[in-house]
Amino acid sequence: MSINSRRAEKRSRFFCFRKQLVSKAMDKGDQKLNLKREVGMVGAVSFIAGTMIGSGIFINPQYLLSTIGSPGAFFVMWACCGLIAMLGGLCYAELGTVISESGAEYIYMLRTVGQVVAFMYVFSFIAAMRPASATGIALTCGEYIVAPFYPGCTPPQVLVKCVTAAVILMLAIINCLSVRMATAIQVVTMVVKVLAMAVIILGGVVMLFQGNTQNFENSFEGTNLDANSIGLALYQGLWSYDGWNTLNYLTEELKHPEVNLPRAVVIAISLVTGLYLLVNVSYLTVMTPKELMSSNAVAVTWGNKVLGSWGWIMSVAAALSAFGSLNGTFFSGGRVCFVAAREGHMPDILSMAHVRRLTPSPALIFTTIISLVVLIPGDFQSIVNYFSFTAWFFYAITMCGLLYLKIKKPELPRPYKVPIILPILVLVAAVFLVLAPIIDNPQIEYLYVSLFIFSGILVYIPFIHYKLCPGLLTKLTLFLQLFLEVAPADKNL
Ligand code: ARG
């Protein structure tokens, strides 16, 4: 027998075995293969708060302060961002209980504004937004892991990027292996970061009682009131709050979503807003505004000043915090691929789940690959600005969708309802956020980002609308399906 035919025989035996595995799992008691409702109330709060608290609060405050110019306005900005996140979260809670499918903005746009916009969203989300945010958070994690080994100097970028890549891969594997394990990581890292923030807050309170209040005098002096500064400061702040919509990506996996979704939103976002404000009070008690602005990792500077030789603890806490946030980002990001593929907007393979582990592994693997590609040229600050611009563009459209549902479909059953003024306020904020930096200080990059968003249409028309090359992916799908042991999953409504 030639080597080639022996190989072919081996391969066919291998696939035969896999095929049996896949069909056995699917036949089991004629059960449908779907993601289970495993996320309870604690998991839900942890998914939101744990995704929100990530890199931002540990490295963004200095940029926000330099952009807005004064400590007083700095606090107003943090509070405004918390308010915007809360209003957005409440509106999403209504959306998530009226439209019970997973997939957040994607599914809401699909059910209200229509196919083309939903496709444009999922295209930008999968090709740019999600990998960019994952990479941004992972970069912070990598930087904080490496930082303690390079005291007083900047660590080599190649090393930071390699560690970042390792972090991304590790979390991707965990998310492919088990929903329960990913949930556990979310809960544990969430506890760690809340504790770390509690330490920062306590340290600040002690210093405040010792009479360190000089940084809060004349606190509005030097405020920059132009639209561009306010817009950019909000971008910086809102990056730290981003993730307030995390639970809407996985409503199908949430136990009793009609009760748990609104409740988890309120608990998580108020918790995070309170913590952020107090942490910032502590930063400004311990450091002068100048010191804060010139620090490049504010939590570490704080740690060195207050904890002395134990300052490295803050590095570990910041790294773990980013790790947890990245976990939440992965968990929810995979879900969007998965829902979009189920609706025929993405290759079928991305909608499948592992036959035994019930995790949407193909979608997760896809997100991981693009995140690793983005990592190569990625830099944190530009990622934050362009991410926020794109994200708020789509949040604005989602709010229009909610307004449409409220006005045109008042008869739909609504377990949870918000007054119409809330989506209007969020819409106004979103429009301001998208337009302010463009109008006040136009930069060519925003044009590129917009062109990219709209380029989704060029893919939509031939491949989705006219369904060109339908058989193109069939063979690849079959091969991958057997290779990854995945099968089509059903809706879980
Ligand atoms: N708030 C997070 C942070 O401060 C970033 C969240 C990015 N967005 C997301 N949906 N994961 O690092």
Side-chain angles (χ1 to χ4, degrees):
M1 204 191 282
S2 75
I3 295 185
N4 270 352
S5 58
R6 226 178 296 147
R7 259 198 212 141
E9 195 195 308
K10 240 187 193 167
R11 210 180 312 148
S12 83
R13 241 189 283 144
F14 169 75
F15 280 137
C16 215
F17 172 67
R18 294 256 166 165
K19 228 180 224 168
Q20 280 168 359
L21 259 181
V22 172
S23 48
K24 218 199 264 158
M26 289 187 72
D27 290 345
K28 225 190 258 168
D30 214 20
Q31 263 174 6
K32 281 190 178 151
L33 190 60
N34 52 19
L35 302 177
K36 286 194 195 138
R37 287 197 187 271
E38 286 199 18
V39 183
M41 189 61 189
V42 177
V45 172
S46 312
F47 265 112
I48 303 182
T51 309
M52 289 173 77
I53 308 173
S55 53
I57 188 66
F58 298 107
I59 52 174
N60 256 352
Q62 63 271 35
Y63 299 113
L64 208 158
L65 183 59
S66 345
T67 314
I68 203 67
S70 75
F74 170 79
F75 284 110
V76 172
M77 284 295 129
W78 279 99
C80 279
C81 292
L83 184 69
I84 296 176
M86 178 62 95
L87 298 184
L90 292 175
C91 294
Y92 268 54
E94 173 167 339
L95 277 167
T97 46
V98 178
I99 300 171
S100 55
E101 293 143 287
S102 289
E105 294 85 17
Y106 168 73
I107 206 77
Y108 307 149
M109 286 183 209
L110 186 69
R111 301 279 175 252
T112 55
V113 193
Q115 297 258 350
V116 183
V117 180
F119 182 81
M120 258 162 56
Y121 169 77
V122 81
F123 177 78
S124 329
F125 181 91
I126 290 175
M129 275 155 76
R130 189 44 47 128
S133 64
T135 309
I137 307 169
L139 263 174
T140 314
C141 183
E143 232 153 87
Y144 276 108
I145 292 177
V146 174
F149 301 100
Y150 290 84
C153 58
T154 320
Q157 274 309 295
V158 186
L159 182 65
V160 173
K161 291 207 169 175
C162 288
V163 174
T164 307
V167 169
I168 293 180
L169 281 175
M170 190 168 147
L171 276 175
I173 293 172
I174 293 173
N175 273 276
C176 285
L177 288 182
S178 142
V179 175
R180 214 169 265 166
M181 198 145 62
T183 314
I185 291 187
Q186 201 65 19
V187 178
V188 172
T189 53
M190 156 96 175
V191 172
V192 171
K193 55 189 141 189
V194 172
L195 278 180
M197 293 173 102
V199 169
I200 299 183
I201 293 168
L202 263 179
V205 170
V206 172
M207 302 279 274
L208 263 185
F209 277 112
Q210 287 170 349
N212 289 302
T213 50
Q214 63 281 12
N215 295 339
F216 300 104
E217 285 153 18
N218 298 329
S219 53
F220 283 92
E221 228 170 58
T223 308
N224 299 324
L225 275 178
D226 55 302
N228 183 43
S229 303
I230 296 179
L232 283 181
L234 287 175
Y235 273 5
Q236 307 284 345
L238 284 168
W239 166 262
S240 304
Y241 284 96
D242 203 78
W244 48 265
N245 55 349
T246 302
L247 211 49
N248 291 65
Y249 291 109
L250 42 119
T251 18
E252 284 168 45
E253 283 157 88
L254 182 64
K255 294 178 189 157
H256 311 299
E258 46 325 310
V259 184
N260 282 341
L261 179 61
R263 219 178 262 174
V265 162
V266 172
I267 298 177
I269 301 179
S270 13
L271 177 77
V272 173
T273 309
L275 285 172
Y276 279 6
L277 286 174
L278 292 173
V279 164
N280 280 312
V281 169
S282 174
Y283 285 155
L284 270 177
T285 309
V286 172
M287 291 170 245
T288 63
K290 273 222 176 84
E291 274 175 317
L292 178 60
M293 282 191 254
S294 58
S295 137
N296 48 11
V298 60
V300 175
T301 316
W302 186 96
N304 291 340
K305 283 200 120 189
V306 179
L307 305 175
S309 57
W310 289 87
W312 57 270
I313 285 193
M314 281 299 138
S315 261
V316 177
L320 272 177
S321 162
F323 190 77
S325 176
L326 184 59
N327 181 52
T329 302
F330 258 122
F331 196 95
S332 50
R335 270 39 180 192
V336 176
C337 272
F338 174 66
V339 176
R342 213 166 56 178
E343 300 292 334
H345 279 175
M346 280 279 130
D348 278 347
I349 184 76
L350 295 179
S351 68
M352 298 185 186
H354 190 276
V355 290
R356 275 171 284 110
R357 302 199 174 95
L358 302 179
T359 53
S361 40
L364 283 165
I365 294 170
F366 184 74
T367 309
T368 308
I369 294 173
I370 303 192
S371 302
L372 290 174
V373 173
V374 173
L375 174 64
I376 300 168
D379 109 83
F380 184 78
Q381 269 312 303
S382 18
I383 284 178
V384 169
N385 288 345
Y386 302 126
F387 167 86
S388 305
F389 173 79
T390 321
W392 281 93
F393 175 79
F394 286 113
Y395 292 150
I397 302 180
T398 310
M399 285 304 130
C400 296
L402 177 58
L403 287 172
Y404 165 82
L405 285 181
K406 279 178 131 7
I407 296 166
K408 294 275 181 198
K409 310 242 164 156
E411 74 285 353
L412 285 179
R414 285 180 167 75
Y416 178 77
K417 227 169 153 174
V418 291
I420 195 156
I421 184 75
L422 296 201
I424 295 178
L425 285 175
V426 181
L427 180 63
V428 170
V431 170
F432 171 78
L433 279 164
V434 173
L435 293 185
I438 308 186
I439 293 176
D440 214 51
N441 179 17
Q443 277 177 14
I444 192 78
E445 282 82 354
Y446 290 109
L447 179 70
Y448 296 151
V449 176
S450 315
L451 285 179
F452 181 80
I453 296 175
F454 287 99
S455 68
I457 297 177
L458 298 181
V459 182
Y460 180 84
I461 294 173
F463 295 110
I464 310 288
H465 189 73
Y466 288 109
K467 297 194 173 61
L468 288 184
C469 323
L472 188 72
L473 288 172
T474 319
K475 264 192 165 167
L476 184 68
T477 305
L478 258 173
F479 171 79
L480 287 174
Q481 197 180 347
L482 294 170
F483 188 72
L484 297 170
E485 290 182 52
V486 291
D490 239 7
K491 283 189 191 181
N492 198 11
L493 302 177

